[in-house]
Amino acid sequence: MCGITGYTGSGSALPFLLQGMKCLEYRGYDSAGITLVDASMTTWKAKGRITELEKMLDAEHCPEHTGIGHTRWATHGVPSQLNAHPHNNMDDTISIIHNGIIENYVELKRELTGKGYVFSSQTDSEVVVHLIDDCFRENGHDMLKALETAVKRLQGSFALCIVTTYEKDKVYCAKKESPLVLGHSAEGSFCASDPTALLAYTREILAMEDGQIAVLTRDRIELYDFEGNPLPVSFVHYPYDAESAQQGGYDSFMRKEIHEQPDAIRGTLRGRFDAEDHLIMDEIESLNLDWDHLHRVYFIACGTAYHASIYGRTLLQRAAHISCIAEPASEFRYEDPIVDEHTLCIFVSQSGETADTLAAVRLARERHAATIALTNVLGSSISRMCDATIYTCAGPEIAVASTKAYTTQLVMLVCIDLKIAEKLHAVFPEEEKIIRSLKELPQIVEKTLDLEAQIEEYAGLLVDQHDAYFIGRQLDYPTALEGALKLKEISYVHADAYYAGELKHGPIALIEPDTVVVAIATQKDVASKTFSNMQETLARGANVIFLTDADTDARDFRRVVRIPACMEALAPIPAAVLLQELAYFTAKGKGCDIDKPRNLAKSVTVE
Ligand code: M6R
């Protein structure tokens, strides 16, 4: 999704803006632009990559101390130079960048056109600059007042940064339902849509709340609510440095992040056990919830995080015998879900900014459910909306394809399920063994990564395929879904996942000689059933890649990948790592842009 950067300080603005925009490239974009401001203001915009924009800039002759930069991912209006941000007012004295969607832009555009404003783009965002211009004139050229008036007229979501020639040493920001973070150092003040863009300059970070306006100057940052009342400003020390958000010698962020999983799991489990190996989950302990009258638990998320949710719900329902439902966030709101004060909703989101997931949180809160966020991003919107937040400490995940966020979500969902079962007085099967195995997981994942030569060889089968099928039962089903999603999103091989038993009810019609079927059977009580389904595909000439545990008899199958010894309940974690690698090597074999797959964005901040 779109990326925002802004700077005002003693240095020149351009280097920060460009490096920040490059840090945000991973979110996905189709055009980029910059405004630098001094006594006058200059705006450059280019369709395509940031390098196209750089070709237009004479960086050595850009000493301006204030500026804003934007990477755009088209929602309203085609990707083009005209539609790229920043958007300027008609006399080039005010320039804005915008993330989000202005829902009432048609009505505002009509009104502003009636007042003589001329629009030059097809975007919803351009109304913002003309509206601010109008409010600026009506409020005696007071930008703070103009902004207060303008934001109240905007419906929808926005993260806005504004510069003006009237105050060339300031950047104004405003936020509603779209992320915006601020940073400050001795050099000046910064803003961005994501902390990773700030880390090379400062780790003192403030995540703006909805309904806030910020005024950035070289020496300080001021915060106001939409009524103009001043608010306290306090920064949080961000725990990651710029290095941890860089590629560090790997050919892609995805590969780096796959290999970071042992450490990500270690970090996620750090501090979660006391000396007697009892689980520490204060976030759940302190939840204001009548556990004795809890009727159901929802797990709500999108994409990869939704697959993690299916795993979390399956484990919990088995252990606690309470109704557990996994629901895609994009559907949840429209289903009139049975959600009330006897409901616990667990929202899973790597970024904590996914619009559909945040909308689902709002609904759950309206209906008085208890809410827990499971996220990877400190201070993300979701963490500020839910009753409790539990973090996966996976470190920044840059590649669009989620890897370490997924496995750490599974790890933390096991912990959450264990604690919920305890609160419900349920006996979690093999609890002690699970805790021991959780602690061994980093080593198990390290050993899993040693299998990559074998996975690379099998990926060769997929490179020239149009389709692939992933099958599994029980806890292997979310792994199949996730394996299929990884493959399609980065290698563009069409992949479907099915419950293994469902294959014969239709999809088997698609199996023909050399079709690749990836079968996952790590769950002993259903493994023999999955074998039969695999045999059915073998009989039709499929190339089966079989992921199973250390000791299952797999002599009938040619391509068997054995997951290092691991407790059954946790086997989906190393299994997911193998499928991430299968997708990675397939995409690499096809020469795909692994970190920036087409049409996708890291953080999906529109519904
Ligand atoms: O940030 P979130 O976890 O809320 O994102 C949800 C999905 O957009 C995300 O998992 C997406 O499916 C990934 N690109 C998958 O690799």
Side-chain angles (χ1 to χ4, degrees):
M1 294 281 123
C2 311
I4 276 183
T5 55
Y7 173 94
T8 185
S10 54
S12 56
L14 189 60
F16 168 77
L17 297 178
L18 285 172
Q19 75 79 40
M21 289 161 73
K22 285 176 188 167
C23 283
L24 298 174
E25 275 190 303
Y26 74 92
R27 297 165 68 102
Y29 71 105
D30 47 55
S31 53
I34 278 180
T35 291
L36 295 175
V37 65
D38 208 327
S40 64
M41 137 175 132
T42 318
T43 299
W44 297 264
K45 306 196 218 186
K47 186 178 168 203
R49 298 280 176 206
I50 294 170
T51 43
E52 299 303 313
L53 181 71
E54 282 178 299
K55 284 181 200 159
M56 304 166 79
L57 291 159
D58 179 4
E60 283 176 19
H61 296 99
C62 291
E64 291 88 343
H65 299 288
T66 301
I68 50 178
H70 191 264
T71 48
R72 173 174 188 255
W73 189 81
T75 57
H76 293 63
V78 295
S80 70
Q81 191 179 20
L82 269 185
N83 288 336
H85 300 211
H87 293 290
N88 295 353
N89 64 344
M90 285 159 58
D91 58 7
D92 284 330
T93 54
I94 302 172
S95 184
I96 68 114
I97 50 180
H98 165 231
N99 281 3
I101 291 180
I102 305 301
E103 287 165 3
N104 59 337
Y105 82 100
V106 174
E107 174 189 326
L108 287 172
K109 190 168 176 176
R110 199 175 302 125
E111 176 187 324
L112 289 160
T113 307
K115 288 183 171 180
Y117 285 93
V118 178
F119 285 74
S120 46
S121 79
Q122 302 156 316
T123 65
D124 55 328
S125 306
E126 196 185 349
V127 294
V128 178
V129 73
H130 298 309
L131 179 66
I132 292 175
D133 179 280
D134 190 38
C135 297
F136 187 64
R137 289 165 200 276
E138 280 178 8
N139 283 281
H141 284 205
D142 180 329
M143 184 51 81
L144 187 57
K145 286 219 157 50
L147 209 46
E148 283 162 31
T149 316
V151 288
K152 286 186 208 127
R153 302 271 336 264
L154 299 176
Q155 285 166 19
S157 57
F158 51 84
L160 290 170
C161 294
I162 303 115
V163 287
T164 168
T165 52
Y166 293 99
E167 292 172 282
K168 63 185 174 62
D169 297 322
K170 283 184 183 167
V171 177
Y172 287 87
C173 300
K175 177 194 177 321
K176 186 185 159 225
E177 293 173 23
S178 190
L180 195 52
V181 296
L182 312 177
H184 187 70
S185 76
E187 181 188 328
S189 298
F190 315 84
C191 61
S193 41
D194 185 319
T196 50
L198 306 185
L199 294 178
Y201 285 73
T202 180
R203 287 166 70 184
E204 301 311 307
I205 290 180
L206 181 163
M208 284 181 75
E209 301 276 355
D210 283 348
Q212 291 185 337
I213 293 174
V215 185
L216 281 58
T217 56
R218 176 187 155 169
D219 299 325
R220 65 174 180 278
I221 290 177
E222 291 166 5
L223 267 186
Y224 300 90
D225 63 19
F226 282 0
E227 302 305 323
N229 301 307
L231 299 168
V233 175
S234 70
F235 294 91
V236 170
H237 185 71
Y238 199 73
Y240 305 116
D241 58 14
E243 179 63 23
S244 58
Q246 299 306 316
Q247 217 162 295
Y250 287 92
D251 66 358
S252 60
F253 278 110
M254 182 184 182
R255 187 147 165 70
K256 175 181 177 244
E257 288 158 8
I258 288 174
H259 281 260
E260 282 173 346
Q261 290 178 104
D263 274 346
I265 293 171
R266 241 175 239 120
T268 296
L269 287 174
R270 192 166 295 133
R272 289 294 176 186
F273 304 104
D274 67 13
E276 276 85 45
D277 271 355
H278 294 130
L279 193 57
I280 305 173
M281 297 291 287
D282 292 343
E283 304 91 332
I284 294 182
E285 294 288 355
S286 54
L287 208 57
N288 184 14
L289 176 63
D290 180 0
W291 292 98
D292 292 335
H293 294 96
L294 184 67
H295 292 172
R296 67 194 75 80
V297 182
Y298 267 99
F299 294 76
I300 301 153
C302 294
T304 286
Y306 169 61
H307 301 155
S309 299
I310 299 175
Y311 171 83
R313 103 42 36 231
T314 310
L315 262 191
L316 183 62
Q317 183 162 290
R318 260 187 207 174
H321 301 292
I322 185 170
S323 166
C324 296
I325 308 129
E327 189 77 30
S330 52
E331 289 293 305
F332 178 71
R333 270 175 309 149
Y334 306 110
E335 301 234 305
D336 193 13
I338 306 171
V339 172
D340 54 24
E341 68 275 26
H342 304 297
T343 310
L344 170 61
C345 292
I346 300 172
F347 296 92
V348 187
S349 173
Q350 185 285 131
S351 61
E353 304 295 349
T354 299
D356 284 318
T357 311
L358 298 185
V361 176
R362 279 182 212 108
L363 178 74
R365 292 186 64 83
E366 271 161 35
R367 299 199 177 177
H368 311 290
T371 53
I372 297 178
L374 175 59
T375 183
N376 191 40
V377 180
L378 202 75
S380 51
S381 300
I382 206 166
S383 69
R384 285 173 277 130
M385 292 164 73
C386 287
D387 299 325
T389 301
I390 297 170
Y391 288 101
T392 48
C393 303
E397 190 181 71
I398 307 295
V400 166
S402 192
T403 54
K404 59 179 180 171
Y406 180 66
T407 47
T408 53
Q409 280 162 0
L410 298 190
V411 165
M412 204 31 89
L413 283 164
V414 175
C415 299
I416 291 172
D417 287 356
L418 286 166
K419 183 52 78 178
I420 293 177
E422 180 191 312
K423 300 303 271 178
L424 295 173
H425 314 293
V427 180
F428 205 102
E430 303 187 288
E431 178 171 354
E432 280 178 21
K433 197 170 161 199
I434 291 190
I435 290 182
R436 267 201 315 280
S437 302
L438 274 175
K439 294 170 94 176
E440 289 162 6
L441 253 185
Q443 291 81 3
I444 294 171
V445 172
E446 264 154 22
K447 286 189 201 146
T448 307
L449 290 167
D450 291 341
L451 300 172
E452 74 179 14
Q454 196 186 0
I455 297 289
E456 184 170 10
E457 183 195 330
Y458 296 162
L461 293 172
L462 283 159
V463 169
D464 296 320
Q465 291 289 318
H466 288 108
D467 312 285
Y469 299 93
F470 289 69
I471 56 171
R473 289 168 182 254
Q474 296 287 307
L475 288 180
D476 290 327
Y477 177 61
T479 313
L481 285 170
E482 178 57 9
L485 176 65
K486 284 289 89 85
L487 187 68
K488 62 191 147 200
E489 74 176 326
I490 62 163
S491 76
Y492 316 134
V493 174
H494 165 249
D496 271 340
Y498 296 101
Y499 287 111
E502 284 296 296
L503 209 60
K504 59 184 169 299
H505 296 289
I508 199 161
L510 297 166
I511 307 293
E512 49 186 40
D514 292 336
T515 303
V516 175
V517 173
V518 181
I520 308 122
T522 66
Q523 307 296 303
K524 285 226 180 310
D525 55 342
V526 285
S528 63
K529 304 276 179 204
T530 305
F531 293 168
S532 310
N533 307 128
M534 289 158 63
Q535 295 287 9
E536 289 155 12
T537 68
L538 272 184
R540 283 151 185 89
N543 286 326
V544 175
I545 301 172
F546 182 27
L547 263 58
T548 189
D549 57 44
D551 48 19
T552 288
D553 178 359
R555 75 188 78 168
D556 288 352
F557 305 100
R558 227 174 102 194
R559 298 179 191 87
V560 182
V561 188
R562 296 220 177 253
I563 292 163
C566 176
M567 198 188 167
E568 247 180 277
L570 304 185
I573 297 167
V577 173
L578 293 169
L579 296 183
Q580 294 163 359
E581 294 213 298
L582 189 67
Y584 163 80
F585 283 117
T586 306
K588 192 173 172 196
K590 292 185 71 178
C592 300
D593 185 345
I594 290 174
D595 285 338
K596 297 184 205 89
R598 67 184 179 213
N599 305 338
L600 291 176
K602 181 67 182 166
S603 189
V604 186
T605 51
V606 290
E607 286 172 37

